[in-house]
Amino acid sequence: MSRAYKVAVVGATGAVGRQMVACLEERQFPVAELKPLASDRSLGKSVTFKGREIPVEVLTKEAFAGVEIALFSAGGSISKEYGPIAAQAGAVVVDNSSAWRMEPDVPLVVPEVNPQDIALYKNRGIIANPNCSTIQMVVALKPLHDAARIKRVVVSTYQAVSGTGQKAVEELAAQVRALLSSQEVVKKVYPHRIAFNVLPHIDVFLDNGYTKEEMKMVLETKKILGDDSIEVTATAVRVPVFYGHAESVNIETERKLTPEAARELLSKAPGVKVVDNPAKFEYPMPLDAAGQDLTLVGRIREDFSIAHGLNFWVVADNLRKGAATNTVQIAEILIKDYLR
Amino acid sequence: MSRAYKVAVVGATGAVGRQMVACLEERQFPVAELKPLASDRSLGKSVTFKGREIPVEVLTKEAFAGVEIALFSAGGSISKEYGPIAAQAGAVVVDNSSAWRMEPDVPLVVPEVNPQDIALYKNRGIIANPNCSTIQMVVALKPLHDAARIKRVVVSTYQAVSGTGQKAVEELAAQVRALLSSQEVVKKVYPHRIAFNVLPHIDVFLDNGYTKEEMKMVLETKKILGDDSIEVTATAVRVPVFYGHAESVNIETERKLTPEAARELLSKAPGVKVVDNPAKFEYPMPLDAAGQDLTLVGRIREDFSIAHGLNFWVVADNLRKGAATNTVQIAEILIKDYLR
């Protein structure tokens, strides 16, 4: 019989942290003891796990004693500081921030794509969870890349406000309420109104004109697919949706891949659900993706503008497959294959 | 001194028709007599023009007597039937539907791009106004095409519900109200909820897997730019925004075009306003585009995935530059150069 583990969740009161706790319960992860950690601002709060209220403890250097697996989602600077401390204390860290993703000796893992890279956790005791937009895209790209080699990806995203955090969810709701009742709109989280608007701006702008979010999609895709030759160009856009990121993906492949062949490959791919029956108005939507763990793919069609091209549309729950679920899936492989 | 004209607006009570009347007034089009026409469902309604309420008349075959310019925005079947009748009666028809756009002897015109094609109105008495998404895109493409020859365009759209009509504006508002007050959401205009959701579906689906909206962007772009060699592939998406279409545009050019050169060309291009200062969070948004006539272009950056590529972001008011304003601009050239 398999054993149970002492698991810490760092950033347990955030949008992703709460979802991590929910995922551990839903997926029946063998938790012997759950240790929710957060900053002292969260003191007095608790998280619900298997019907019990577990008080949140303050994150300190000593908090990881006896912890075997530490799931982090408390922002890059916390991960940078406390990730190595947790690893030093003997925990394997699965980190949802961008702090460690591009470190050459830290694996960056999507279980459906590169589960073998989990073995590299031994280097630093840290496994990085990719960016939400990257995860759902590579889940869809992987079977197509294996079959026809993807040369180039042009992607435009339609990202939900929950990706920014719980405060952004509240801001969108408050702005919509204000507009419908002719009250003044308050902006705190985003520099512009997001209600009934679209912002081509996610994360900070870099010197090359791209946002950090866009460059994550470029660089992380290469690392996860283990192929530096895949060229990616991205435009990341925030839309007034609460949950669920959508992506318009255009690919150019080395070998010809018909839409039918792509549909067949995707329908057999792990973690993917093909939703592609336009005649019945069936295509992926944030509304359907939210609250479940699959990556939905549809609108698969030939791109007639090049010899070997396809367009498709990918939607997933950004807090689940894009963050919490992917982290817990990594932990599942970790205990099955390495921490027995 | 220039003279004034008898102008009919067909579909005068619709979202675009009302905007046409407003544009005629705003732009001080020399109207001797305004004749608002609509179906008998609109009997009893009126439109406001220069402070006067003008009763709507029922569209009949006899309605065009003496009309010199007829602006149509009442749907394809009305244009198909009544366009030739109006032309026969001596009016020049400027038609906002898709009915005549791809007829070889009917000009398809964006005044900033191919004003010379207006001369071809003499063939059938009809000038077609392009699809809203196409108009704003070609306004931005034109100066770049002239400078570096565009070989391929990959575009994904973020389209406002007003493109569907006034009923869709009301549906989004009603759905948002219902959701915020835990009432049942009613769907009539779209097959799925649009509030806090995204639909990769605009206009009807065709056998090739594309929507008609997407194919309009492919085919109309070639015709307006007068260059069949430009390849376009499009994904058209409805977002929960009331007014203003946005587009993520990726282009590949024959000759190298730096972002700086593109910015310079666009800043001098007619009808374009460059809004591209990310450091100050300045980029085009539907919120800023709505209610004005310029096409806003920003997020101009090099696409590092190919040798000669650029990404940029284009936003315009879909009811104005995307429909009513473009129609009235065509009429302005018509009276200046042809109907004096």
Side-chain angles (χ1 to χ4, degrees), chain A residues 59-122:
Chain A
L59 174 63
T60 63
K61 290 182 181 176
E62 294 72 36
F64 298 97
V67 170
E68 296 174 272
I69 297 168
L71 309 181
F72 273 67
S73 190
S77 56
I78 295 290
S79 292
K80 206 88 191 170
E81 181 177 357
Y82 287 91
I85 292 169
Q88 186 63 40
V92 179
V93 171
V94 188
D95 179 36
N96 189 48
S97 83
S98 63
W100 300 98
R101 288 179 191 152
M102 296 313 295
E103 290 292 315
D105 56 351
V106 171
L108 181 67
V109 176
V110 176
E112 293 89 342
V113 180
N114 60 337
Q116 72 284 356
D117 288 352
I118 290 177
L120 302 173
Y121 83 90
K122 286 164 186 163

Side-chain angles (χ1 to χ4, degrees), chain A residues 152 156 210 248 302-303 305, chain B residues 152 156 210 248 302-303 305:
Chain A
R152 180 176 177 232
S156 296
Y210 287 83
S248 171
E302 184 172 346
D303 170 2
S305 77
Chain B
R152 181 177 177 232
S156 297
Y210 287 83
S248 170
E302 184 172 348
D303 170 3
S305 77

